[in-house]
Amino acid sequence: MKRRKFIQGAAAAVGTAIAPSAAAQLAGRRPALVDVTPIQSLPGDVSRVWLGESFWANRLQDWRLANGRIECLCGESGFEVRTAALLTRFLGEAHEPGRLRARIGSLGPGEPGFCGFLLGAGAAELDYRGSALVHARSGANGGFIAAIDERGEVGFRDFSSAADSLAFERLDRGGTRAIESVGSREIILDCHIDPLEDDTYDVRLIASDAGSGAELGFAVRTAVPAHELRGGLSLVSSPPPGRPGGRWWFSDISTGGGKIGVHPERAIGPVMGCLHSLNRDVLKLTAQFLPISPQEQARARLDYKLANTDEWTRGPEADIGDGYLAAFRLEAWNYNETHDYRIVDPANDGAELFSGRIQRDPGTERELKIALYSCILPTSKRLDENIYEPAFDGERVPGRYTRDNVLFPHAELVTNCDSHEPDLYVFCGDQFYEGYPTRHGRGIPEVKLDTLYRWYLWYWTFRDSVRDRPTIILADDHDILQGNVWGNAGLGSALEREEDGGYKWDKELVRMVYRIEHGHNPDPYDPTPILFDIPVAYAEFVYGGVSFCLVEDRKFKTPPNTEVDPVDTRGELLGPRQEAFLEHWAETDTDLPKICLTASIWGSPQTVGNLEPLVDYDANGYPPDGRTRAVRLAGRAKALVLAGDQHLAMVARQGIDDYEDGPLFFAGPAAAAFWQRWFEGEGRLDNQRNDDPNTGNFIDCFGNRMRVLAVANPRMTYADFAARKRTWGNFIAERAIASEGYGLVRVDHRTRTAALECWPWNESPETGSQFPGWPYTHRFDT
């Protein structure tokens, strides 16, 4: 077999040929060490966005399954290195052979670019889900690419450089017979990973004509360190760096050998997960599908049975509608018994697609544990941001594909929270952010898919937590792709600025987001939609011996009036409809403890140094008259109010005429969020709690009174940050500085108290400590 001379190092840049090394010659003569087996059969008679159980596309809109192939749809400049991760395959520790093989071709013959395999994504520092996100830009733990370009040249490209994330420096390469162009050829791309005696590997890449079997190109990397061959595997399609170019397709994707671990349990879909709520005898459940084809499946069915029995009840069917969601509602549910459920395909002999459990309502027989989450970023910085810069002098910039940057799937956070065995999960907003892990897609035609890409990452994080426990979700501003929302019942939506009020982006998108996030919540108190047929979600329900209400403190909120003194501004926070609802709720189930769920504290306890209140119209101290009406109504119900949103964990009693004559609010910390806020009392406030200098009586910028009882500030003072910051905003990507985690509420029916807990994301509840100031005990009759 003839071999071309190898090109190495700097010689690759100028095309200078040098003699192949003895190791390269030896690798070139080596036969295949292992056979391959297919990863997954790709149907040839369907076209859809979802690639299949074994694949994760970056991004959803950049790939499709069609013609029995996985096809990349994106070749624009700025969208380099589109990847489709192989979820059920992973480069492990075993010092054994491995092999990855696929049939490939160009979707734009002659257009420049390359395709191939990404090896070592995440470097085994990330779990398989985090590794599946590697794409777009090179960086630490990015791995390397075994590729063929439009000219038919095969080689290896570095994807781990942090200095220039679009450089894609070529590594050792070589070949046999050059071809002028891939053109319309179908090519077999075959990557062999051959172990050597010194814990290194040779990686060989062979391109062959799919019809004749003739070899078209050969390249080898010799003595590759073992640490470069640990992590995820992905398909790659890319235009040249900084230019538009070609798109590529893949089929017959196969792997073999002990080096590539096979993990069928990591397959995902067609159902991403299920959410449900239970309100006495009404069960609502939604099944979130991945972007399937309606020709394959248009409906789903919910079956159920008593736990620990064998006989299933055939339940209702539902269309898989907007957002790829099937929504179910069952009345006369036996909430005193635990049930198993399953989502099935009614057109395919009831094939099971997903399963879980509906726990019996625990009533008052034991304490009720409520997990409180909000504000969840998948990455500290965008993956498609070219160069990472520190937000302030001295900030440690994270490596692109390290655990400091790829927070998804938040394994430590989720494990620590789940160890409490919560009975109910509450997510108070910002389940995702419009700019993470990739740039926002607000105005693009594929905005729904772009938004679902982010939503699926949330689901992938929490789906095993919520599949067996009731869950309440409130969508907030970032969920509908806005930095801030003054909903104003839809008024002002046609105007340009967020500050003009309303909903600024595609109303079909807004309706989809409310459908996928709120569809399983208890029935709205008054389901009348606002303008543009945007649905409402404010509701009441009883679970675990507690009367709950959820309100939407953005949907009717008046846009800011910056022309007058903040103290003198007037308007609506909850609006007349929700105020009437709270009046009703205060008079119902008066024998039960009451908890109100909302997005944000109804006040603005924030400072910017020297006890100066921060003026922030996004905070729900604005408008002060609407805020005071809401506080008075929650106080009349003797409700504990749970919230999130401001990224600043806090316990504060909101005042009306005094500092403590209103209800208690507990805002949980952000789970993971870049924007920081502070409340620094500097030891100067009256009525401090436990001599904590950051507690005491406070009047915010809107004139609202409150007593702050506990706060978890960032681990850097505002003054220090302000003196060192490089950007316009309060951005901190270094998690060691931010105070992030989750809240937990334990309702004790015997004592009619609630223990409020606030946990850092990385503290084990068995051995770690809560944030200073917690736990705090609340009495429901106060």
Side-chain angles (χ1 to χ4, degrees):
M1 184 181 295
K2 295 189 296 182
R3 305 291 179 193
R4 293 184 62 199
K5 295 180 179 179
F6 288 86
I7 304 172
Q8 302 184 19
V14 296
T16 303
I18 61 177
S21 66
Q25 293 183 24
L26 180 62
R29 293 190 294 268
R30 189 180 298 127
L33 301 183
V34 293
D35 294 326
V36 294
T37 56
I39 290 179
Q40 180 180 331
S41 175
L42 301 177
D45 57 350
V46 66
S47 177
R48 67 182 186 221
V49 175
W50 177 50
L51 303 180
E53 292 94 340
S54 297
F55 305 98
W56 176 259
N58 295 299
R59 303 159 302 169
L60 283 179
Q61 64 265 36
D62 296 343
W63 296 85
R64 72 174 179 181
L65 175 70
N67 307 306
R69 311 183 305 199
I70 290 176
E71 300 180 345
C72 184
L73 302 176
C74 187
E76 295 94 331
S77 175
F79 293 90
E80 296 82 6
V81 189
R82 305 294 92 187
T83 62
L86 311 183
L87 293 179
T88 59
R89 301 295 187 269
F90 206 76
L91 286 167
E93 298 282 345
H95 193 63
E96 298 180 31
R99 189 176 176 189
L100 174 57
R101 186 174 184 270
R103 183 186 297 255
I104 65 97
S106 174
L107 288 166
E111 295 178 347
F114 59 90
C115 76
F117 310 123
L118 175 62
L119 295 86
E125 179 179 331
L126 307 178
D127 86 347
Y128 76 98
R129 290 168 291 180
S131 299
L133 297 191
V134 176
H135 79 292
R137 298 292 186 271
S138 67
N141 295 345
F144 68 96
I145 300 170
I148 184 170
D149 65 18
E150 81 283 359
R151 297 167 297 176
E153 292 202 22
V154 293
F156 299 90
R157 297 166 184 256
D158 182 24
F159 201 61
S160 60
S161 170
D164 186 348
S165 66
L166 281 177
F168 305 155
E169 176 189 357
R170 289 195 175 188
L171 304 175
D172 303 349
R173 67 186 183 91
T176 54
R177 184 168 66 246
I179 57 175
E180 293 182 358
S181 173
V182 169
S184 299
R185 296 174 186 259
E186 293 192 7
I187 291 175
I188 302 297
L189 203 58
D190 202 349
C191 185
H192 300 254
I193 303 170
D194 303 336
L196 305 177
E197 292 183 355
D198 58 353
D199 200 31
T200 62
Y201 296 82
D202 287 342
V203 181
R204 298 177 288 144
L205 184 63
I206 303 169
S208 305
D209 184 90
S212 67
E215 184 176 305
L216 305 176
F218 175 88
V220 63
R221 280 193 69 199
T222 60
V224 178
H227 68 82
E228 290 193 33
L229 288 164
R230 295 174 186 151
L233 296 165
S234 296
L235 310 176
V236 174
S237 174
S238 182
R243 292 191 290 140
R247 301 170 295 110
W248 301 78
W249 60 262
F250 300 80
S251 67
D252 302 333
I253 305 152
S254 305
T255 65
K259 180 63 177 173
I260 300 178
V262 178
H263 300 276
E265 74 281 1
R266 296 177 178 176
I268 191 165
V271 176
M272 174 59 84
C274 289
L275 293 165
H276 73 272
S277 69
L278 191 58
N279 180 17
R280 291 178 167 139
D281 63 351
V282 176
L283 170 70
K284 292 183 70 179
L285 182 146
T286 56
Q288 178 65 67
F289 282 76
L290 287 150
I292 58 175
S293 165
Q295 285 71 41
E296 287 183 295
Q297 185 172 353
R299 292 175 65 78
R301 193 177 75 227
L302 171 62
D303 291 350
Y304 54 92
K305 68 179 181 67
L306 287 173
N308 303 315
T309 65
D310 297 325
E311 186 175 351
W312 286 93
T313 297
R314 187 186 181 101
E317 291 188 14
D319 291 336
I320 301 171
D322 191 26
Y324 301 98
L325 192 85
F328 303 93
R329 184 182 185 278
L330 285 81
E331 296 182 351
W333 183 263
N334 183 358
Y335 59 92
N336 292 314
E337 297 287 348
T338 295
H339 293 75
D340 295 326
Y341 71 86
R342 65 185 183 187
I343 302 299
V344 303
D345 181 357
N348 187 21
D349 298 324
E352 183 177 307
L353 306 175
F354 192 82
S355 64
R357 175 161 285 191
I358 310 294
Q359 304 289 343
R360 64 183 294 268
D361 187 328
T364 60
E365 64 187 35
R366 57 174 174 80
E367 72 173 6
L368 181 74
K369 291 177 285 188
I370 305 166
L372 180 62
Y373 280 113
S374 65
C375 307
I376 304 156
L377 279 170
T379 59
S380 294
K381 290 181 177 287
R382 275 188 9 220
L383 296 183
D384 55 1
E385 192 175 337
N386 197 29
I387 297 295
Y388 289 170
E389 299 285 352
F392 60 89
D393 291 336
E395 184 182 34
R396 183 170 57 86
V397 177
R400 193 176 300 265
Y401 302 114
T402 66
R403 283 176 293 191
D404 289 335
N405 193 49
V406 180
L407 312 178
F408 168 81
H410 304 279
E412 198 168 357
L413 166 79
V414 171
T415 297
N416 287 332
C417 181
D418 286 355
S419 70
H420 298 284
E421 298 184 341
D423 301 292
L424 173 69
Y425 287 84
V426 173
F427 293 86
C428 281
D430 297 341
Q431 279 61 252
F432 51 83
Y433 286 77
E434 65 274 21
Y436 292 79
T438 56
R439 73 196 73 178
H440 72 76
R442 290 179 179 128
I444 64 174
E446 306 86 5
V447 63
K448 284 189 175 182
L449 287 176
D450 191 71
T451 301
L452 285 170
Y453 176 71
R454 306 169 204 283
W455 171 238
Y456 289 146
L457 296 182
W458 179 90
Y459 233 123
W460 215 354
T461 296
F462 294 107
R463 75 176 195 143
D464 288 332
S465 302
V466 303
R467 73 193 302 160
D468 299 336
R469 294 292 188 274
T471 302
I472 301 296
I473 295 181
L474 282 170
D476 203 11
D477 41 18
H478 293 284
D479 297 280
I480 56 168
L481 314 191
Q482 293 188 210
N484 297 294
V485 170
W486 294 273
N488 207 24
L491 292 170
S493 296
L495 301 175
E496 183 177 352
R497 303 181 312 147
E498 290 180 348
E499 291 80 4
D500 295 322
Y503 295 82
K504 300 305 175 185
W505 301 104
D506 186 334
K507 306 308 179 291
E508 284 193 15
L509 168 75
V510 174
R511 290 190 290 269
M512 183 197 80
V513 169
Y514 285 133
R515 172 176 163 79
I516 62 179
E517 292 199 17
H518 291 171
H520 70 287
N521 281 349
D523 294 336
Y525 176 73
D526 173 4
T528 306
I530 62 172
L531 290 177
F532 305 103
D533 204 30
I534 294 172
V536 298
Y538 61 92
E540 60 182 323
F541 67 100
V542 173
Y543 186 78
V546 175
S547 173
F548 291 90
C549 78
L550 55 148
V551 296
E552 300 177 277
D553 53 17
R554 311 287 194 201
K555 189 158 282 179
F556 298 90
K557 186 176 179 179
T558 301
N561 181 358
T562 59
E563 300 299 320
V564 300
D565 189 302
V567 175
D568 297 326
T569 55
R570 295 292 180 266
E572 302 292 343
L573 177 60
L574 301 184
R577 288 174 58 180
Q578 292 191 105
E579 288 176 2
F581 162 61
L582 283 182
E583 288 181 351
H584 154 81
W585 182 62
E587 302 301 323
T588 63
D589 297 314
T590 54
D591 58 326
L592 299 180
K594 295 208 164 192
I595 294 179
C596 176
L597 309 176
T598 190
S600 187
I601 278 184
W602 298 343
S604 187
Q606 304 171 50
T607 60
V608 288
N610 196 31
L611 268 182
E612 179 185 351
L614 172 68
V615 179
D616 184 0
Y617 290 89
D618 174 57
N620 281 334
Y622 168 83
D625 60 329
R627 169 265 180 195
T628 297
R629 291 194 299 274
V631 167
R632 197 183 303 275
L633 288 165
R636 186 180 302 166
K638 296 183 179 180
L640 167 67
V641 187
L642 304 183
D645 179 61
Q646 294 295 299
H647 309 174
L648 182 62
M650 179 176 289
V651 176
R653 189 170 288 279
Q654 293 296 308
I656 302 170
D657 300 314
D658 198 351
Y659 292 95
E660 298 185 80
D661 57 347
L664 189 77
F665 281 69
F666 174 28
F674 53 83
W675 189 281
Q676 304 300 312
R677 292 179 174 90
W678 286 260
F679 179 84
E680 296 173 316
E682 301 181 356
R684 296 158 51 190
L685 298 175
D686 294 334
N687 203 16
Q688 295 173 27
R689 174 178 173 243
N690 296 337
D691 296 321
D692 185 334
N694 292 319
T695 63
N697 295 343
F698 180 71
I699 300 176
D700 70 16
C701 63
F702 302 107
N704 303 308
R705 290 177 169 83
M706 64 202 71
R707 184 189 179 200
V708 175
L709 297 160
V711 65
N713 281 310
R715 296 174 176 89
M716 168 188 259
T717 67
Y718 177 82
D720 189 16
F721 172 75
R724 295 161 58 187
K725 73 176 182 177
R726 297 183 174 189
T727 63
W728 64 271
N730 295 349
F731 299 101
I732 296 179
E734 191 172 343
R735 294 199 89 185
I737 295 174
S739 293
E740 299 173 336
Y742 61 93
L744 190 78
V745 178
R746 300 176 183 268
V747 177
D748 188 327
H749 292 285
R750 294 176 299 105
T751 60
R752 288 187 66 85
T753 61
L756 312 182
E757 301 182 5
C758 192
W759 290 92
W761 65 275
N762 56 349
E763 287 281 348
S764 166
E766 293 185 1
T767 59
S769 300
Q770 297 181 49
F771 286 109
W774 282 270
Y776 180 90
T777 300
H778 168 70
R779 299 193 63 84
F780 280 104
D781 53 0
T782 60

